[in-house]
């Protein structure tokens, strides 16, 4: 029932043609269906990715590791803080390799098996490589992954452990994509790059189907944009729900990019067709670091058609959003995903999104995969351990920095929570390190902080500001 069609000029191609651009006009090609016939089709089986297989191109060999069917968390604490109505997070970190790309891997590897391929090649800035490597491992396909130099450590670790062949090419994923296209042409391997295989969009549209089943059609749907393919896929999903008579309204889409790499947002703001970034892109949200977004035009059209908007957020905003999301809702999102919440905060402040609105933010992948977070955590862990060891000593230093104090008074000021012997033990150790000295007054020992002790306190304060 499915066929390929150019999204630009409408030219029809045979299905599974392994083409992503129209031979006539170079427009992106996509799968289309006979929607009148599809009206009679149903969702089948349990709440998971393959429940929607009647709405996907035909598959004989189903590759599955339990993808899809991810939770939609209602964020009660965050919506209260932001004075918003209902906020939901679609938690794609709960997929087999902890990102939304497992949906793509399931469909692509199924298709590769149907077409009797033995090897898959893909360009990726991380999540897709991790997913495809795992699914290829399970189904015995060779997996060749082209990554740019900028790739998250956790994702690279996944590709390595799943035994993919990893080739580094260029700075960003745009470079890697060219290489993957070359390799597929030379070797005949199955093209698994999301931007080069229209099945990826089909796989991701199931996110829309699931959200519809979980909460109906939201007022707003906030989605991170790298190539723009994910946003376009979610839009395609909702449109299909409309075409098959399941819904009679559509969400307004909000596309989010990082300030340091926002070609789609720029094109929207300046109302121009040009979508390639002229400057060198830079953001820590590596999953959305794409200079030349292949689905950019389609994503922009989707945003406009939905009466939505696009917005960019800074890396600082992304990181504080990431921490808040974890602290208040228990969701550990990668930077590209936390960008959706950073955007929500901005739009709540600007009163674009209000108390009556129901909003869904797409959390595409887990924070455990991102390099920066791993580094920040190692730093924090070290400090936390040091902090624990010093807590009583730090308290003693703080008391002494105000005035010289007798041992007995220190014990009282510390709330008598430990023995006096323990206090003297701490004082002993502090004086051995040259942070405290003692002197006699009225036959009793008075303790005093040294200049060095004061320096240590100041350093600790500086460290706390940093964290
Ligand atoms: Zn065309």
């Amino acid at each position: 029932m499915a066929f390929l069609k150019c999204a630009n000029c409408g030219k029809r191609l045979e299905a599974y043609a392994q083409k992503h651009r129209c031979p006539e006009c170079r427009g992106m090609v996509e799968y289309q269906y006979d929607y009148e016939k599809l009206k009679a089709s149903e969702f089948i089986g349990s709440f998971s990715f393959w429940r929607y297989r009647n709405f996907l191109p035909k598959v004989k060999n189903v590759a599955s590791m339990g993808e899809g069917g991810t939770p939609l968390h209602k964020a009660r604490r965050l919506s209260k803080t932001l004075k918003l109505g209902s906020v939901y997070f679609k938690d794609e970190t709960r997929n087999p390799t902890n990102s939304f790309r497992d949906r793509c891997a399931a469909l692509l590897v199924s298709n590769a098996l149907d077409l009797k391929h033995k090897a898959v090649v893909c360009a990726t800035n991380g999540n897709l490589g991790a997913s495809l490597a795992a699914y290829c491992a399970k189904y015995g396909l060779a997996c060749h992954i082209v990554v740019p130099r900028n790739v998250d450590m956790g994702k690279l670790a996944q590709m390595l452990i799943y035994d993919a062949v990893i080739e580094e090419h260029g700075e960003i994923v745009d470079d890697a994509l060219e290489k993957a296209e070359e390799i597929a042409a030379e070797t005949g391997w199955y093209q698994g790059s999301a931007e080069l295989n229209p099945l990826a969009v089909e796989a991701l549209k199931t996110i829309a189907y699931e959200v519809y089943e979980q909460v109906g059609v939201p007022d707003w749907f906030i989605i991170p944009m790298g190539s723009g393919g994910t946003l376009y896929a979610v839009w395609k999903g909702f449109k299909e729900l409309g075409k098959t008579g399941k819904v009679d309204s559509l969400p307004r889409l909000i596309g989010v990019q990082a300030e340091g790499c926002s070609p789609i947002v720029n094109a929207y703001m300046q109302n121009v067709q040009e979508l390639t970034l002229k400057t060198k892109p830079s953001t820590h949200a590596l999953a959305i670091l794409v200079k030349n977004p292949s689905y950019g035009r389609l994503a922009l059209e989707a945003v406009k058609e939905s009466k939505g908007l696009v917005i960019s957020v800074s890396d600082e905003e992304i990181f504080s959003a990431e921490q808040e999301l974890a602290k208040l809702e228990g969701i550990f999102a990668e930077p590209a995903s936390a960008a959706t919440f950073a955007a929500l905060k901005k739009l709540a402040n600007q009163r674009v999104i209000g108390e009556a609105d129901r909003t869904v933010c797409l959390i595409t992948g887990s924070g455990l995969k991102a390099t920066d977070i791993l580094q920040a955590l190692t730093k924090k862990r070290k400090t936390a351990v040091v902090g624990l060891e010093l807590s009583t000593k730090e308290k003693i230093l703080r008391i002494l920095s105000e005035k010289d104090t007798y041992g007995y008074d220190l014990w009282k000021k510390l709330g008598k929570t430990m023995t006096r012997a323990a206090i003297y033990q701490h004082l002993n150790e502090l004086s051995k390190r040259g942070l405290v000295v003692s002197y006699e007054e009225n036959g009793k020992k008075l303790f005093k902080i040294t200049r060095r002790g004061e320096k240590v306190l100041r350093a600790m304060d500086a460290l706390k500001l940093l964290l």
Side-chain angles (χ1 to χ4, degrees):
M1 210 183 331
F3 57 92
L4 276 175
K5 194 176 171 186
C6 172
N8 188 38
C9 75
K11 186 184 166 65
R12 197 168 157 155
L13 300 114
E14 61 171 313
Y16 307 123
Q18 291 273 299
K19 284 202 167 54
H20 68 287
R21 288 202 183 270
C22 170
E24 305 281 321
C25 76
R26 303 288 298 149
M28 299 300 283
V29 300
E30 65 176 10
Y31 281 91
Q32 291 281 325
Y33 305 80
D34 183 335
Y35 292 104
E36 276 311 309
K37 273 192 192 157
L38 215 51
K39 277 183 180 168
S41 294
E42 305 212 1
F43 300 156
I44 41 166
S46 63
F47 189 59
S48 77
F49 176 76
W50 292 105
R51 175 173 172 75
Y52 310 103
R53 65 182 293 181
N54 286 339
F55 296 76
L56 295 170
K58 223 169 185 47
V59 165
K60 286 195 293 271
N61 297 281
V62 171
S64 177
M65 295 181 75
E67 55 288 330
T70 57
L72 186 71
H73 305 296
K74 185 160 189 186
R76 292 195 170 78
R77 294 184 73 196
L78 276 182
S79 28
K80 211 170 162 189
T81 319
L82 293 174
K83 296 195 172 57
L84 284 174
S86 306
V87 176
Y88 300 88
F89 290 97
K90 179 65 172 163
D91 187 3
E92 290 286 297
T93 73
R94 301 277 285 270
N95 278 299
T97 75
N98 314 102
S99 91
F100 71 134
R101 289 299 190 190
D102 289 333
R103 296 175 189 271
C104 300
L107 192 57
L108 292 168
V109 169
S110 299
N111 186 220
L113 292 171
D114 284 353
L115 299 176
K116 301 198 164 30
H117 279 272
K118 298 274 183 283
V120 175
V121 58
C122 94
T124 171
N125 45 17
N127 282 326
L128 181 67
S131 295
L132 273 176
Y135 282 73
C136 281
K138 182 171 167 70
Y139 291 94
L141 297 176
C143 186
H144 190 103
I145 300 176
V146 189
V147 293
R149 193 159 307 138
N150 284 303
V151 64
D152 284 314
M153 292 306 293
K155 297 167 189 172
L156 201 57
Q158 287 182 296
M159 295 176 222
L160 281 167
I161 195 75
Y162 298 134
D163 202 26
V165 175
I166 301 165
E167 177 181 348
E168 192 184 285
H169 187 83
E171 289 291 321
I172 55 174
V173 74
D174 304 69
D175 309 320
L177 276 166
E178 281 175 27
K179 184 74 184 171
E181 216 172 342
E182 257 175 56
I183 293 175
E186 274 168 25
T187 60
W189 292 344
Y190 184 83
Q191 181 55 262
S193 310
E195 289 79 4
L196 306 178
N197 189 325
L199 280 178
V201 163
E202 293 310 290
L204 295 184
K205 79 182 183 190
T206 57
I207 293 172
Y209 288 32
E210 285 185 10
V211 166
Y212 151 70
E213 289 209 90
Q214 286 169 308
V215 77
V217 178
D219 298 302
W220 300 95
F221 206 129
I222 311 183
I223 301 164
M225 293 193 296
S227 74
T230 308
L231 182 137
Y232 181 66
V234 169
W235 181 239
K236 189 170 188 283
F238 278 108
K239 291 265 287 197
E240 288 182 354
L241 289 169
K243 286 179 195 168
T244 52
K246 290 188 161 49
V247 302
D248 49 18
S249 67
L250 296 168
R252 298 171 77 176
L253 300 190
I254 297 170
V256 189
Q257 295 202 289
E259 265 174 18
C261 183
S262 49
I264 305 177
V265 176
N266 292 350
Y268 177 87
M269 297 301 177
Q270 294 158 18
N271 203 13
V272 292
Q273 288 287 305
E274 180 60 52
L275 272 165
T276 307
L277 201 65
K278 294 284 192 315
T279 51
K280 191 175 155 56
S282 154
T283 172
H284 286 99
L286 295 184
I288 48 173
L289 179 63
V290 179
K291 194 172 173 180
N292 185 10
S294 50
Y295 279 96
R297 189 144 302 140
L298 290 174
L300 265 186
E301 281 169 16
V303 165
K304 284 178 187 165
E305 197 185 334
S306 79
K307 299 188 176 65
L309 58 100
V310 296
I311 186 170
S312 63
V313 289
S314 70
D315 277 18
E316 289 73 30
E317 288 168 323
I318 289 176
F319 280 118
S320 66
E322 185 166 344
Q323 292 182 13
E324 246 175 292
L325 193 54
K327 282 183 197 168
L328 290 178
E329 298 294 341
I331 300 168
F332 187 13
E334 69 171 323
S337 311
T340 60
F341 173 53
L344 175 65
K345 285 206 303 189
K346 262 188 161 171
L347 294 167
N349 281 334
Q350 295 167 10
R351 297 266 161 253
V352 175
I353 298 179
E355 273 174 68
D357 292 335
R358 293 190 317 148
T359 308
V360 173
C361 292
L362 180 61
I363 301 300
T364 46
S366 162
L368 278 174
K369 292 167 172 246
T371 308
D372 287 76
I373 284 299
L374 292 178
Q375 282 170 350
L377 283 181
T378 348
K379 211 169 101 190
K380 193 154 185 164
R381 180 156 179 258
K382 277 187 199 142
T383 336
V385 172
V386 172
L388 199 68
E389 192 185 72
L390 278 182
S391 62
T392 305
K393 290 192 177 71
E394 187 186 342
K395 280 182 203 158
I396 292 174
L397 285 177
R398 290 205 186 279
I399 294 167
L400 295 182
S401 73
E402 278 171 19
K403 70 178 226 227
D404 301 354
T405 314
Y406 294 111
Y408 177 78
D409 291 337
L410 270 173
W411 176 65
K412 275 204 309 197
K413 281 191 175 167
L414 286 167
K416 302 179 186 171
T417 49
M418 56 183 76
T419 62
R420 277 160 75 181
I423 300 279
Y424 282 105
Q425 179 68 30
H426 281 299
L427 283 166
N428 240 333
E429 285 166 17
L430 284 169
S431 76
K432 265 188 208 155
R433 290 179 203 176
L435 306 178
V436 161
V437 288
S438 63
Y439 60 94
E440 295 251 332
E441 201 183 78
N442 307 327
K444 279 195 287 181
K445 233 183 195 180
L446 255 178
F447 291 90
K448 177 187 168 70
I449 190 166
T450 62
R451 205 173 273 174
R452 192 182 151 137
E454 276 166 355
K455 251 191 197 165
V456 166
L457 268 186
R458 275 200 299 274
M460 288 170 109
D461 290 337
L463 201 61
K464 277 176 190 154
L465 278 180
L466 265 180
L467 290 172

